[in-house]
Each structure stands twice: as C-alpha cells, then as structure tokens.
Amino acid sequence: MRAKITYFVTAAVLVFYFALVGSRGVLLIRHGTLLTVAFGVAVLILPVIGIWFLWKNTQFVSRANALAAELDAEGGLPVDELVRTPSGRIDRDSADAVFARRREEAEDAPDDWRCWFRLAVAYQDARDTPRARKAMQRAIALHMKEARPGTP
C-alpha cells in the first residue's frame, strides 16, 4: 500500500511540474519573437515526453498488478522461500538459487506468462531490475496474446 501511495504522490507532483513547465512554454510562445517561440516549443516538448513516460509506466504497473492478481487467484504466486539476513535483506546465494530454478521453468515453457512473471520476481529479488522489467514485459505480452487468441 505504501508503494501505491508513493507512486500516486510522485505522479501528482510530476503532473503539477509538467503543467508549470507547460505554462512557461506557452508564455514564451505568446511573447512572439522568433527566439522565445523556439524556446517555448522546446520547453513544451519536455512535458509531452514526461507525460508519455508517466503514462507508459502507469500502464506497465497496472498490467503487472493485474497479472499478479490473476496469478494469486490461481494460487500460482511464487512462495517467498528466500533466506534473509538479520537486517531483513535477501541473501544473495538464496536469491541466485531461486533464480536458477525460475530461469529453468521459463526455458522449459517459453510461452507461459506465469513462468515469466515468476522469473521477473526472481530477477527483482536478485536485484537485477532491468532484467526483471524485461521479463515482466514479456509476461504481459504473452498474457495479452493468450487473452486474444489468433493474434500473431
């Protein structure tokens, strides 16, 4: 729940920032000189890119959460079997062992989104966020393909 609140607060702050920057861009364009119009257009590009980035991340998070809910309803969420240090951090060797099993599952069933979801969780536990994100994107794509049969 804390992560959701943090995400929404951050998104709200970003939207406020985009509105503020966008208004400055409009003011520059309204000034009407060649230089201020050029700067105004350049300034307006930043909020557009930011809004696109925020939208894509929000879609990713909502789709990943939907997969988690579906997997939870099936009883297929990965069990937390990781060894932790006294401070609560995940033991690296334990994460590596779980990761090896999850990778083998994904290799054995490359078209099963459930295996890719669990692999994404294992990557995250192993502190490999870029690969975790790619594995989750693959799980989402496979799930969408499964939901719409007949799509290539």
Side-chain angles (χ1 to χ4, degrees), residues 57-80:
N57 278 310
T58 302
Q59 275 186 324
F60 174 78
V61 168
S62 66
R63 289 176 179 163
N65 285 340
L67 292 186
E70 187 173 332
L71 205 53
D72 187 28
E74 295 175 357
L77 278 180
V79 177
D80 186 3

Side-chain angles (χ1 to χ4, degrees), residues 4-5 9 15 24 27-30 38 45-46 56 58 70 72 99 104-105 108 123 128-129 148:
K4 281 185 180 183
I5 292 170
V9 168
V15 168
R24 298 299 180 226
L27 287 174
L28 284 168
I29 291 171
R30 279 185 165 170
I45 290 172
L46 294 174
K56 294 305 273 183
T58 302
E70 187 173 332
D72 187 28
F99 170 77
E104 286 175 16
E105 285 177 15
D108 290 343
Y123 269 126
D128 191 348
T129 304
R148 286 183 256 144

Side-chain angles (χ1 to χ4, degrees), residues 103-113 115-116 138-139 142:
R103 186 183 65 222
E104 286 175 16
E105 285 177 15
E107 288 171 355
D108 290 343
D111 293 331
D112 186 1
W113 67 266
C115 292
W116 283 96
R138 176 121 187 229
L142 289 170

Side-chain angles (χ1 to χ4, degrees), residues 85-117:
T85 63
S87 65
R89 295 194 75 181
I90 295 171
D91 177 61
R92 183 72 176 181
D93 292 334
S94 174
D96 289 344
V98 171
F99 170 77
R101 283 200 319 269
R102 300 294 184 214
R103 186 183 65 222
E104 286 175 16
E105 285 177 15
E107 288 171 355
D108 290 343
D111 293 331
D112 186 1
W113 67 266
R114 293 160 187 86
C115 292
W116 283 96
F117 181 94

